[in-house]
Amino acid sequence: MMRIPSLSTAFLLFPLLAGCTSVGAPSWTQETLYAGETKLGGCAVADLDPEVPGEEVAAVDSEGRILILYCGKKPVRSTVAADLPGELIQCAVGNLIPDHDGDELVAVGVAQGGEDDGGRGVAVCLTRTEEGWQTETIIEDEKLFHAVAIGDADPDREGNELVVAGYSKTVYVLHRAGTEWQKQLIGTIPGAAKGAAIANGWIYIACADGSLVGFHREGGEYSGSTLAHVDDALARITARGKNVLVSANDGILRLYQDGNFSEAKEILRSSDRLRGAVIADISRVHDGMELATAGYDGTVQVLGQTTDSRGNPAGYTAQYLAGSDTEKLHHLAFGELPDRGNVLVSCGYSGNIICFREIEN
């Protein structure tokens, strides 16, 4: 794939397949919300500060910082909500503490030093209180935590659960009970965990050995199995309903539809590693869900649904370039920001946090 330089103006690409009737080629614009110099591992969009209208952007970096961006007014205001002693790799947001207003953020990485130093894994929870931003350590492990997700992983319990996994090849499910975190080790996986997702009562773990592992709770116990396997390391993963989207080191974005893991639909091929997986109703112009990814080629790609000559769904074949960064991208998130609407937010090696949004033609 040809490298696209970073631009601040709108992009316009046409669908790659001319044989189908497309949803229409949208225009995209990008905005640098934060310009840094430190590698960023993961980002998220959520209502983390209930005292401020709208959602905020959060990101974690290689120096152990958790950044919060307030995007309601220009210029965007940023703050360092936490400065921890170990590198942070990914983060997830959601409602984990019932009596706390707003969402919580859980960041995972290493307790001390850098990702390659061999230190213990750690997961920390960030909350906004009357005293300001507060962090607490939820769990530590013998090796790096790399995967994290928040969602309803236990149908027998009210509320959301937290899933963390990493290089020790063990998967934990946690929930908040009063002021304490309750931990359960639910199983082991064949490779180091790189990403996690929760949907439809299932926990999905993307592994470095190419395995996609699923865990499901039934009869009071979790059971797990390898659902699919590819020949290269998996990376970011997301799930919505019975659909699972996985990016990988081989540059392929794979979609497993309707709970069918026997055959993956290869949605996109990149010349370099992919580090993004989003399923969301990104477009306000067109109906249905879109897919999006980002990667080491520095670009953010969005795939829209197409229809055949009779108006029937023909899959995700309309590919659009939403924008790009100057260096490798490491994560991609979706959300809604004040005065911007639906956005994709990405971050990576450059230290920039960039939002991409569709412009109505």
Side-chain angles (χ1 to χ4, degrees):
M1 180 178 292
M2 182 178 67
R3 181 62 182 270
I4 308 293
S6 178
L7 301 176
S8 60
T9 57
F11 290 90
L12 180 61
L13 266 72
F14 290 96
L16 297 182
L17 297 186
C20 295
T21 302
S22 166
V23 293
S27 297
W28 290 82
T29 187
Q30 69 182 67
E31 174 188 1
T32 299
L33 302 174
Y34 175 87
E37 297 180 352
T38 303
K39 174 189 170 184
L40 296 166
C43 57
V45 183
D47 185 11
L48 296 165
D49 190 341
E51 295 185 0
V52 178
E55 296 184 334
E56 292 79 42
V57 174
V60 297
D61 76 9
S62 59
E63 293 184 353
R65 297 181 301 175
I66 303 176
L67 305 173
I68 305 294
L69 307 185
Y70 295 90
C71 305
K73 297 180 180 179
K74 294 185 179 181
V76 173
R77 179 168 64 91
S78 65
T79 185
V80 178
D83 193 354
L84 305 174
E87 180 173 357
L88 299 174
I89 307 297
Q90 290 197 63
C91 60
V93 290
N95 183 11
L96 283 170
I97 305 176
D99 58 357
H100 173 255
D101 291 335
D103 294 321
E104 290 77 49
L105 179 142
V106 176
V108 295
V110 288
Q112 298 277 344
E115 177 180 1
D116 300 324
D117 294 341
R120 290 179 59 80
V122 68
V124 299
C125 181
L126 176 76
T127 55
R128 180 68 172 176
T129 70
E130 293 181 356
E131 290 75 31
W133 294 103
Q134 304 291 327
T135 57
E136 62 173 321
T137 298
I138 302 173
I139 182 175
E140 290 193 8
D141 198 25
E142 61 183 27
K143 294 183 179 180
L144 163 78
F145 277 132
H146 200 287
V148 59
I150 296 172
D152 186 5
D154 183 353
D156 299 327
R157 200 189 73 85
E158 185 178 354
N160 289 328
E161 287 75 42
L162 168 68
V163 172
V164 292
Y167 284 11
S168 68
K169 302 180 184 179
T170 51
V171 182
Y172 297 92
V173 174
L174 302 97
H175 71 269
R176 183 69 168 240
T179 59
E180 302 293 329
W181 293 96
Q182 303 296 316
K183 176 183 73 173
Q184 181 181 3
L185 193 162
I186 66 168
T188 59
I189 49 180
K194 302 295 286 187
I198 303 170
N200 203 40
W202 281 80
I203 299 167
Y204 300 101
I205 307 294
C207 302
D209 74 331
S211 299
L212 172 60
V213 180
F215 290 89
H216 183 63
R217 185 176 177 90
E218 190 171 358
E221 298 292 334
Y222 285 98
S223 61
S225 62
T226 298
L227 303 174
H229 188 274
V230 301
D231 293 332
D232 211 335
L234 302 182
R236 305 298 177 261
I237 180 172
T238 193
R240 192 181 183 103
K242 294 184 178 181
N243 297 324
V244 179
L245 185 68
V246 190
S247 62
N249 281 9
D250 59 10
I252 300 175
L253 185 67
R254 294 175 173 88
L255 177 65
Y256 298 92
Q257 285 187 294
D258 301 322
N260 178 15
F261 294 94
S262 63
E263 181 180 3
K265 295 183 181 297
E266 294 189 3
I267 300 298
L268 177 145
R269 280 180 176 263
S270 173
S271 62
D272 212 332
R273 299 180 180 189
L274 290 179
R275 287 294 182 269
V278 170
I279 304 174
D281 187 5
I282 301 168
S283 174
R284 290 189 171 181
V285 178
H286 307 112
D287 295 331
M289 296 289 154
E290 287 79 34
L291 310 179
T293 190
Y296 277 19
D297 70 349
T299 66
V300 174
Q301 306 282 344
V302 179
L303 294 111
Q305 297 186 58
T306 61
T307 57
D308 60 22
S309 59
R310 297 183 178 181
N312 299 315
Y316 292 92
T317 53
Q319 181 180 338
Y320 312 114
L321 177 67
S324 65
D325 195 8
T326 55
E327 296 188 40
K328 301 173 183 177
L329 290 173
H330 202 257
H331 199 75
L332 186 66
F334 170 77
E336 183 176 353
L337 292 180
D339 299 326
R340 296 168 179 84
N342 292 351
V343 297
L344 291 165
V345 176
S346 193
C347 65
Y349 282 68
S350 71
N352 299 327
I353 303 173
I354 305 173
C355 86
F356 307 87
R357 63 184 177 88
E358 185 186 70
I359 302 173
E360 294 188 22
N361 291 325

